[in-house]
Amino acid sequence: VLTGYGTGAIMAVPAHDDRDHEFATVFGLPIHEVVSGGDDVQNAAYTGDGVLVNSTNDRGLSLDGKTKAEAIEATIAWLAEQGVGEEKIQYKLRDWLFARQRYWGEPFPIVYDADGVAHALPESMLPVELPEVEDYKPVSFDPDDASTEPQPPLAKAKAWVEVRLDLGDGEQTYWRDTNVMPQWAGSSWYQLRYIDPTNSDALVDIENEKYWTGPREGMPSGGVDLYVGGVEHAVLHLLYSRFWHKVLFDLGHVSSYEPYHRLYNQGYIQAYAYTDARGVYVPAAEVEEKDGRFFYNGEEVNQEYGKMGKSLKNAVSPDEICDNYGADTLRVYEMSMGPLDTSRPWATKDVVGAQRFLQRAWRLAVDEATGDAAVADTALTDDDNRALHRTVAGVRDDYANLRDNTAVAKLIEYVNYLTKAYAGASVPRDAVEPLALMLAPVAPHIAEEMWTRLGHEGSLAHADFPTFGEKWLVDDSVELPVQVMGKVRGRITVAVDATRDAIEAAALAEPNVVAHTEGKNIVKIIVVPGKMVNIVAK
């Protein structure tokens, strides 16, 4: 039985804890019921809710008949009255791997004296910087020399490890810690350093922090508006970051008491992986397909699907894709693969589709022969305005809700419209400039270049994002199918606000409908506004 709770050892409540019950049974210890509601606790532990029994002491505390929650509250109040305890909330953050035995990492601002006592370095001696070393290999262990032991790489930097310092008791020899902090130490607060990256006097100037991440309307806790990260971040990295940030808040270094306002988990990029007869992964890029079977070095391998990465040996190098297709093509392809929060399958052969889309967008703005702007200063048609404003409205909403895949789809549709509508002619400037602005979030490089070729001196990052007019989002006409005796015989286009009489007249005048109703008696005409027209004839 250990005093620490949650260590895997028993906590001495055999009637209501499975591990304790097993322990007590093996060693013949008494099992006393204190929470009623289950079967005989001599046979099995009861771990559910209930009311307390056998819970009265000889000092005036009786918990019998109370629920667990009521008993806890009453016990705390009784301990406070007796002057032997008080209510307190205690948080624990346990990580037994905070120290790393490698070179890269933040050095601990701690030194040890000759007795092994740890001393924190004063602020005037911070930061502690890593020394220059010849190599980053750890100190080797010699199995033939009992006096040797494995040591981190920093142990070899003797002049850095052993230092003479005056920490208030006169100058003495101290030894630095040769372990370093893990990568999550810096990653817990790096967003703050972005706010004030050149400040050599403080982690971050509090006024800068208030401006960028301080409490504000709708976000009383403050923090970064949006954190996009994989689900694996949620358990450890974000927990550490939150702990770290709250310490900084308590010390007065930041005004926000939460590091992030909203978490969004993106899905994995998946790809085919292959295992040999031993179940060992082989390089996916070197696997050959023959008649629906897969081979690596002449031996057949099994195909499976999984997260793209080094462990499955199915990673695709971003550098290679950028070299062959361009960085913007890679970005557009990844964003168009599917919803951002779901896992999506990678297919290199499909990357060319994103490249062709960007090429079509480029040709709308730039004359490929001269490199000059290819647009015309002509007015937009009503169809142009409808296509543009509907694209702007949809893309704005998609970006705001992180639906990058559907935003790309709308941009592709818009580019296709302009390409078809102005085949062999210059596209109006007012139709292309908004395209460059909408394209920038997913293809920033080509969008900036389009913007420059269109005659703008400053970056498009400083231009206003396009807006839309409500009137262009509403159709002024609608196409209706016309049925004769339940079968579609024609289609008519009428004004959205057309009267019933106008719709009936247009339906009866449609040539194909006339052919199927000629010589017949029109019994009834059913008009479903905005949907269809059905003519009953005999």
Side-chain angles (χ1 to χ4, degrees), residues 16 82 90 172 181 196 229 234 239 263 311-312 342 372-373 386 400 418 428 440 458 485:
H16 307 289
Q82 300 296 313
Q90 186 169 354
Q172 299 180 35
M181 300 184 202
D196 204 0
L239 174 66
L263 169 64
S311 61
L312 272 60
T342 63
D372 297 329
R386 273 189 286 271
L418 293 177
M485 301 303 293

Side-chain angles (χ1 to χ4, degrees), residues 217-286:
E217 185 177 355
M219 289 176 57
S221 64
V224 173
D225 296 76
L226 175 67
Y227 184 103
V228 179
V231 67
E232 67 275 7
H233 288 77
V235 177
L236 294 179
H237 164 64
L238 293 178
L239 174 66
Y240 300 144
S241 186
R242 190 166 185 248
F243 173 83
W244 204 280
H245 195 90
K246 286 184 176 294
V247 171
L248 293 174
F249 175 76
D250 289 345
L251 294 175
H253 295 302
V254 295
S255 64
S256 54
Y257 57 86
E258 291 288 354
Y260 314 112
H261 179 66
R262 180 190 176 197
L263 169 64
Y264 189 94
N265 293 137
Q266 85 274 18
Y268 293 127
I269 301 296
Q270 296 178 315
Y272 284 115
Y274 302 87
T275 56
D276 59 19
R278 302 168 298 166
V280 176
Y281 288 99
V282 300
E286 300 175 26

Side-chain angles (χ1 to χ4, degrees), residues 102 125 138-139 287 312 366-367 381 426 435 437 446 448 517:
R102 61 187 180 196
M125 295 184 183
V139 179
V287 172
L312 272 60
V366 180
D367 185 320
T381 67
S426 296
L435 171 63
L437 293 168
I446 192 172
E448 282 282 7
T517 58

Side-chain angles (χ1 to χ4, degrees), residues 238-496:
L238 293 178
L239 174 66
Y240 300 144
S241 186
R242 190 166 185 248
F243 173 83
W244 204 280
H245 195 90
K246 286 184 176 294
V247 171
L248 293 174
F249 175 76
D250 289 345
L251 294 175
H253 295 302
V254 295
S255 64
S256 54
Y257 57 86
E258 291 288 354
Y260 314 112
H261 179 66
R262 180 190 176 197
L263 169 64
Y264 189 94
N265 293 137
Q266 85 274 18
Y268 293 127
I269 301 296
Q270 296 178 315
Y272 284 115
Y274 302 87
T275 56
D276 59 19
R278 302 168 298 166
V280 176
Y281 288 99
V282 300
E286 300 175 26
V287 172
E288 297 180 345
E289 181 180 0
K290 297 178 183 178
D291 300 324
R293 297 161 66 190
F294 304 93
F295 297 86
Y296 173 71
N297 290 342
E299 296 185 6
E300 187 170 3
V301 293
N302 300 311
Q303 185 187 66
E304 61 181 59
Y305 218 52
K307 176 186 174 184
M308 185 185 290
K310 291 183 292 184
S311 61
L312 272 60
K313 298 185 178 180
N314 63 345
V316 175
S317 170
D319 292 343
E320 183 179 332
I321 299 298
C322 291
D323 291 341
N324 294 333
Y325 298 98
D328 279 348
T329 296
L330 174 60
R331 291 169 63 104
V332 169
Y333 174 65
E334 285 195 321
M335 292 301 99
S336 62
M337 290 169 67
L340 186 59
D341 60 347
T342 63
S343 295
R344 293 148 287 161
W346 175 275
T348 301
K349 63 182 178 61
D350 294 338
V351 175
V352 69
Q355 186 183 47
R356 288 172 179 165
F357 157 62
L358 292 176
Q359 290 170 340
R360 291 196 301 274
W362 174 261
R363 286 192 290 267
L364 294 175
V366 180
D367 185 320
E368 292 188 298
T370 65
D372 297 329
V375 296
D377 292 320
T378 54
L380 300 182
T381 67
D382 286 352
D383 286 343
D384 293 344
N385 273 313
R386 273 189 286 271
L388 171 60
H389 287 257
R390 292 179 183 188
T391 302
V392 171
V395 167
R396 287 180 71 99
D397 186 62
D398 286 341
Y399 280 151
N401 291 283
L402 300 179
R403 296 191 298 264
D404 293 339
N405 60 315
T406 53
V408 171
K410 290 179 176 66
L411 291 173
I412 291 174
E413 184 179 352
Y414 181 60
V415 167
N416 290 344
Y417 164 80
L418 293 177
T419 301
K420 182 178 179 180
Y422 290 91
S426 296
V427 184
R429 174 182 292 274
D430 289 343
V432 177
E433 289 191 344
L435 171 63
L437 293 168
M438 290 187 287
L439 192 60
V442 289
H445 306 92
I446 192 172
E448 282 282 7
E449 191 64 24
M450 289 168 62
W451 191 251
T452 300
R453 299 291 180 97
L454 290 170
H456 299 279
E457 294 184 359
S459 168
L460 56 68
H462 301 296
D464 292 332
F465 202 81
T467 57
F468 58 91
E470 292 288 347
K471 73 172 185 176
W472 297 111
L473 306 185
V474 180
D475 288 316
D476 53 12
S477 63
V478 62
E479 184 182 83
L480 302 177
V482 181
Q483 295 180 346
V484 178
M485 301 303 293
K487 292 185 178 181
V488 176
R489 299 301 186 183
R491 294 180 181 276
I492 59 173
T493 300
V494 297
V496 172

Side-chain angles (χ1 to χ4, degrees), residues 5-67:
Y5 178 65
T7 61
I10 70 167
M11 55 175 290
V13 190
H16 307 289
D17 183 276
D18 292 327
R19 293 172 303 173
D20 295 7
H21 193 281
E22 181 181 359
F23 186 90
T25 301
V26 171
F27 292 99
L29 301 178
I31 299 175
H32 297 293
E33 181 184 45
V34 292
V35 179
S36 67
D39 297 329
D40 186 356
V41 294
Q42 302 302 318
N43 299 323
Y46 173 64
T47 59
D49 291 327
V51 297
L52 270 65
V53 296
N54 301 321
S55 298
T56 299
N57 67 15
D58 57 1
R59 298 181 60 186
L61 175 63
S62 177
L63 304 176
D64 293 341
K66 296 183 183 295
T67 64

